[in-house]
Amino acid sequence: MSSAPDCIFCKIIAGEIPCFKLFEDERTLSFMDINPFNDGHCLVITKAHYPDLFAASADDLAAVARTTQTVAAAVNSAMRPEGLNIVQANGPAAGQSVFHYHCHVFPRRLDDEAMLNWGHNPGDMTRIEANHQKILAALG
Ligand code: 5GP
Ligand code: ZN
């Protein structure tokens, strides 16, 4: 499987950097975002390194879609948001900061006023861990 030496997500896949893992299968990995916009914000990534949507294989994109549905259902059940966006930032102007293909599971509140380029503010690790446990419980 392809990986890139300086890629933070490849390091998470390799276990060199820790994460709050939610779900894993042959092609995908899901974990909590460390700069969450809202409670329960998490990511679904390909295990293979692709810089963006254009580079990703169709089979891996399909696998990300399947995992996203599973994880989003758990986030919905655990966090009870008023909506969810599935967001993929493709390219710098779209707000992509990690060039390893991924989708955000982005819980929404009616009054959160989220913008598409929502910025990265460090999260409270205790809170992220508590949300991780709730979503893991919902995954069953
Ligand atoms: P992008 O900006 O490319 O759409 O999304 C990248 C996401 O990865 C950001 O929301 C950012 O908070 C998250 N992120 C960056 N580095 C790490 C990390 O080391 N661990 C985790 N869990 N998330 C990260
Ligand atoms: Zn990578």
Side-chain angles (χ1 to χ4, degrees), residues 8-9 12 17-20 31-36 41 43 87-89 94-100 102 104 118-120:
I8 194 129
F9 285 177
I12 288 175
I17 293 178
C19 71
F20 293 112
F31 52 90
M32 304 302 289
D33 196 304
I34 46 163
N35 307 303
H41 181 175
L43 302 170
V87 181
Q88 190 259 326
Q96 186 175 7
S97 62
V98 176
F99 287 80
H100 177 129
H102 58 279
H104 297 257
W118 57 83
H120 298 153

Side-chain angles (χ1 to χ4, degrees), residues 18-102:
C19 71
F20 293 112
K21 189 196 290 187
L22 289 166
F23 182 90
E24 177 174 22
D25 65 13
E26 197 186 335
R27 291 176 179 271
T28 67
L29 177 68
S30 177
F31 52 90
M32 304 302 289
D33 196 304
I34 46 163
N35 307 303
F37 181 81
N38 275 338
D39 280 337
H41 181 175
C42 56
L43 302 170
V44 179
I45 77 172
T46 52
K47 284 195 173 169
H49 177 87
Y50 302 112
D52 59 21
L53 173 71
F54 306 127
S57 80
D59 284 345
D60 278 342
L61 291 178
V64 166
R66 280 193 295 273
T67 299
T68 298
Q69 186 183 41
T70 300
V71 170
V75 170
N76 197 43
S77 160
M79 310 310 305
R80 299 271 169 218
E82 286 145 333
L84 284 165
N85 284 116
I86 306 304
V87 181
Q88 190 259 326
N90 205 72
Q96 186 175 7
S97 62
V98 176
F99 287 80
H100 177 129
Y101 180 79
H102 58 279

Side-chain angles (χ1 to χ4, degrees), residues 20 32-34 36-41 79 109 122-135:
F20 293 112
M32 304 302 289
D33 196 304
I34 46 163
F37 181 81
N38 275 338
D39 280 337
H41 181 175
M79 310 310 305
R109 296 288 172 198
D124 173 341
M125 284 299 157
T126 308
R127 195 174 176 119
I128 293 172
E129 192 169 8
N131 293 333
H132 176 238
Q133 290 302 325
K134 286 185 201 167
I135 299 167

